Amino acid sequence: AIAVFDSLQGRATGNLTWLLGTDVWEMVKRSRIRGLRPDVVSMTTMMLICKKEGQMEKAWEIAQMIEEKAIRKDTLTYNAIAILHAHEREWTKVLDILTIMEREGVARNPATYQIAIQATNDAGRWEESMKLFDEMEEAGFEENVRTVDLWLEAANRLAASDKGSEL
């Protein structure tokens, strides 16, 4: 982190795109060479910043680095990886993340469900969205404005579909 701040001296950083250029990426590479290991929080944060700045290739590289280095993933890391899959319209992989989390004993949180519900909604998988909403409630999480909006979208679309009219 000190190296990043040192490199920022005297530079204007209008957005994070410059920051995610060679400087941060080189910092990660140099820290690995020096035997330092980035932790899950810093790696997850960098992954999400890359995604937000439209640098999906770097975001996926970080996800791969986390996997290769066997860095223990937490809820936020799995959520970040699910966000990357959702961005790529890979809703089945988002659901796979939920399965992996359960298998590895990593707790889900409301954001985990929101990411999955959004991904299934975007894929037109309304029944899966409804199941996820039920799962979220069964897990003891209260709905929020965003999840209620997603639920209403799924319910309306399901009702308008052939399967919904059979109900």
Side-chain angles (χ1 to χ4, degrees), residues 26-154:
E26 286 303 314
M27 182 187 78
V28 170
K29 289 178 184 175
R30 279 189 235 142
S31 68
R32 288 173 43 203
I33 292 169
R34 292 181 184 146
L36 300 174
R37 300 176 110 188
D39 66 358
V40 68
V41 174
S42 60
M43 297 296 284
T44 301
T45 302
M46 286 183 16
M47 187 181 353
L48 289 171
I49 291 170
C50 287
K51 188 263 179 208
K52 181 177 169 82
E53 290 297 314
Q55 297 192 23
M56 292 300 291
E57 186 175 320
K58 284 186 181 182
W60 282 114
E61 284 180 40
I62 294 168
Q64 183 178 355
M65 191 183 310
I66 290 170
E67 194 65 39
E68 288 172 356
K69 296 297 178 187
I71 297 173
R72 180 154 168 69
K73 295 176 267 318
D74 63 6
T75 304
L76 296 177
T77 306
Y78 279 116
N79 286 355
I81 294 168
I83 288 169
L84 296 182
H85 284 299
H87 180 80
E88 302 288 335
R89 303 276 187 218
E90 298 171 333
W91 68 272
T92 57
K93 290 185 180 181
V94 172
L95 296 183
D96 290 345
I97 296 288
L98 272 63
T99 303
I100 292 167
M101 290 175 77
E102 185 176 346
R103 184 178 63 234
E104 293 185 5
V106 176
R108 298 174 186 173
N109 65 16
T112 308
Y113 286 101
Q114 184 174 320
I115 294 162
I117 293 167
Q118 180 71 59
T120 52
N121 270 10
D122 289 348
R125 307 300 297 199
W126 315 117
E127 289 181 40
E128 283 87 351
S129 293
M130 301 296 285
K131 288 177 190 174
L132 287 164
F133 191 82
D134 291 342
E135 254 185 65
M136 185 183 85
E137 285 186 327
E138 288 171 16
F141 297 118
E142 292 185 22
E143 63 275 350
N144 58 40
V145 172
R146 182 67 185 132
T147 54
V148 169
D149 284 346
L150 291 170
W151 182 86
L152 288 171
E153 179 185 355

